[in-house]
Each structure stands twice: as structure tokens, then as C-alpha cells.
Amino acid sequence: MRQLLGALLLASVMPAFADTPALEELKLLSEHPVAGMDTGNLSGLAWCGDALWAVSDRDDDRLYRLDASAPIWQAEAESFVAPPAPVMPLPWGLRMRAWVSGLVRGGHLDFEGIACDAKGNRYLVSESRAAVLQVPPAADAHWLALPEGMVRQARASGMLLHFNSLLEGIAIDPAGERLWLAAEKERRGLLVVHHRNATWRCEGGCVLLSEGGQEQSPAALGGSLAPVDFSGLAFHQDKLFTLERQAHRICRRTAESGDVERCWSFAAEALTDERRYPLHYGVAEALAIDADGAWVGVDNGGHARGDGENRPVVWRFTAPAGGWGATQ
């Protein structure tokens, strides 16, 4: 009876897809240390125009174009000036803790993701402000007038309640008309807003997905239970792709509901002795998807991995067999 009760309790906290067969492992094509990000903490990636761009959650005034002409990539900074951020309906305690954290570690705005539309506009999500900064290619940066109801709905669904567990990923469609945001953990989820008549709106509700629970980390990390999480978000071929850091996987989801369709693991390649970090959690923070594969950015927090590399790293994984749209 005790074993049965334990199994039922475990099932109640595990996500629905935890009992599916072993996931297909993505193959690592190449990896690239990134020089020139002096503060480190590569927290977001997006393909914009002819290059990958990155952000760091320690820099409030720049983003980085990644020069991929050599095996060690060079980050080329582009500066901008962010105006005062809007005051979204987050509790005073959360906002104060974010302010103090910014003083201690740097990065008051805590940019955790970047996305680009077909016009070349860059969109940076600020975790500490629960807001999105647009950086056009030839104009001043400005904050999007997102509906306050978005944050209220998210909090009513159990998201955005805890410090350092707020917005962690961003994606936008090429037309710049649909914007998705990922809440990190405790609870994790997906939000969407629509651009209509020069206004950002919640159409039929901003919350697509909200879920809690725990799941096992890969065996190489001990297999212990940890909260489910999202650490990156990308849009490709009318699908959302979530980077699930603790589980070391990428999942394809519907853009309309956030429902999971299929997942692929990258644990086998990421957790070799050479690539392991002295941490008991995942370090994959950034995701970009194209037809040929996935770019995954590592936020190592300045820690050296098994082979001694202590710079941020970008991994290039090949697309799965059958492509990202494969059903089985």
C-alpha cells in the first residue's frame, strides 16, 4: 500500500509526457565559445537578418551580433538607450528584490530573451519588469505598451509569483503581430498578445498554458526531482519551440494553445564529462530554431566546465530525423 501511495503521489507531480518512451537524441554538429561578452551570461538568442544575435541578463544597454567567421565566435556589441520601463502590476516585494539584485550583480532590466520580426526589429524581454523592449534597426528603443491584464491573468493562473521565476523567453511571428512570452517555473507557462490597430491586446485571454509539477533530471545530473521549467522560446513554421533546461530537451508546441506535440533530448551531448559544469541544474538558456537545426546558448554564469572552458558557448544541433515537423 505504501508503494502504491508513493507511485500515485509521484504521478501527481510529474508532467503528462514524463511517461512517454525515451526521446530521440539530437546530434551535436558544432560548438562555439563566444568571446567579447565581458559580463558573460548569454541569456537569449535569435536569428536576425544574416546573423545570430544574443543578449546578456547583465547588460541593460547593449545586444550582441555574433560573428561566426571563426570557430571561436566574436560578440560585437550594439548599444542602445532603454527609456524608463513601464510599471507592470507586480508586487512591490518582487520589484524591490529585483532592484537589489541588479545592484549586486548588474543588469537591472534582466534581459532573458530576444526575438526578431521580418523587418529586423529586435524584441528583448525583461524578467525584472515583466515587459518587452523593442530595438528597431534604425530608431530609438521603446517599450511595448503591453496590456496590464496580461500580468494579472498570469498571476491569477499561478505564474509570475516568485522572484527570479518570471518571464524567461520570447518569440514573435515574422509579421510582428503575435508575441509569445514564457514564464520560467513555479508555475511555468506561455502567454500571448496580439497586435491589432496599433494596440497590443489579449484576445480571448493572454494565458495559453500554465502548469506546475516536477520531473526527474537526466541520470547524469542524479535523476532527482526538480520543478518543470522553460528557459527559452522560439517560433518556426507556425510552431512554438520551448527550451526545457532542467530536462535538457526541446519541445514543439502548438502556437494556438501551447500544447506539446513532440520533444527531443539533447542530454547525451550536453552532459558529457567535457561539457559538464559543476552545477546541479541546467545551463541551457537560449534557443533559436531553423529548418536545419537548433542553436542553444549556454549561460554558464562564469563557471568553467569539465574541459576548462569558461566563456559562454553556443551549441549547434542538427534537426531531428524527418525535420522539426516530424510526428514520430
Side-chain angles (χ1 to χ4, degrees), residues 34-49:
V34 178
M37 295 183 71
D38 295 337
T39 55
N41 291 78
L42 190 159
S43 58
L45 281 175
W47 191 271
C48 305

Side-chain angles (χ1 to χ4, degrees), residues 236-268:
H236 175 67
Q237 294 296 308
D238 209 35
K239 298 291 184 180
L240 292 175
F241 290 82
T242 50
L243 180 62
E244 308 190 5
R245 173 181 52 207
Q246 187 64 24
H248 287 70
R249 67 170 167 245
I250 296 169
C251 290
R252 186 186 72 224
R253 297 172 177 270
T254 66
E256 294 73 27
S257 68
D259 291 341
V260 67
E261 294 183 335
R262 188 169 179 186
C263 298
W264 298 269
S265 173
F266 58 90

Side-chain angles (χ1 to χ4, degrees), residues 80-95:
F80 59 82
V81 176
V87 179
M88 298 297 278
L90 292 171
W92 179 87
L94 279 183
R95 289 187 279 117

Side-chain angles (χ1 to χ4, degrees), residues 285-304:
E285 289 270 343
L287 177 67
I289 297 284
D290 59 37
D292 297 324
W295 302 98
V296 174
V298 173
D299 180 355
N300 60 320
H303 296 280

Side-chain angles (χ1 to χ4, degrees), residues 93-317:
L94 279 183
R95 289 187 279 117
M96 181 55 63
R97 290 189 68 182
W99 180 77
V100 171
S101 177
L103 286 179
V104 173
R105 70 180 191 180
H108 281 286
L109 296 177
D110 195 7
F111 288 123
E112 292 288 356
I114 179 173
C116 296
D117 63 24
K119 296 180 180 178
N121 295 305
R122 285 73 56 87
Y123 300 80
L124 315 183
V125 61
S126 165
E127 180 173 26
S128 62
R129 301 299 193 271
V132 174
L133 183 74
Q134 186 186 81
V135 184
D140 293 338
H142 63 276
W143 296 95
L144 300 186
L146 298 178
E148 291 188 358
M150 180 193 75
V151 172
R152 292 195 178 97
Q153 289 178 32
R155 289 178 56 78
S157 297
M159 299 180 285
L160 312 188
L161 300 181
H162 305 286
F163 171 69
N164 205 33
S165 298
L166 303 178
L167 296 178
E168 191 76 8
I170 184 170
I172 195 160
D173 68 359
E177 296 177 347
R178 290 179 294 168
L179 178 75
W180 295 267
L181 299 167
E184 182 179 9
K185 59 185 178 181
E186 300 175 312
R187 299 170 56 97
R188 74 175 181 182
L190 296 171
L191 309 171
V192 64
V193 290
H194 299 261
H195 198 221
R196 300 281 189 265
N197 299 320
T199 302
W200 290 97
R201 304 177 181 178
C202 295
E203 293 190 351
C206 279
V207 176
L208 290 184
L209 174 72
S210 174
E211 60 185 13
Q214 296 183 314
E215 61 188 340
Q216 286 184 303
S217 61
L221 292 177
S224 58
L225 288 176
V228 296
D229 68 357
F230 293 144
S231 63
L233 188 62
F235 180 81
H236 175 67
Q237 294 296 308
D238 209 35
K239 298 291 184 180
L240 292 175
F241 290 82
T242 50
L243 180 62
E244 308 190 5
R245 173 181 52 207
Q246 187 64 24
H248 287 70
R249 67 170 167 245
I250 296 169
C251 290
R252 186 186 72 224
R253 297 172 177 270
T254 66
E256 294 73 27
S257 68
D259 291 341
V260 67
E261 294 183 335
R262 188 169 179 186
C263 298
W264 298 269
S265 173
F266 58 90
E269 299 279 18
L271 296 176
T272 63
D273 290 343
E274 295 80 7
R275 299 189 185 98
R276 284 284 302 277
Y277 291 89
L279 307 169
H280 296 294
Y281 51 84
V283 294
E285 289 270 343
L287 177 67
I289 297 284
D290 59 37
D292 297 324
W295 302 98
V296 174
V298 173
D299 180 355
N300 60 320
H303 296 280
R305 63 184 195 176
D307 63 1
E309 179 60 68
N310 63 359
R311 291 169 291 193
V313 173
V314 175
W315 291 322
R316 176 57 165 174
F317 292 97

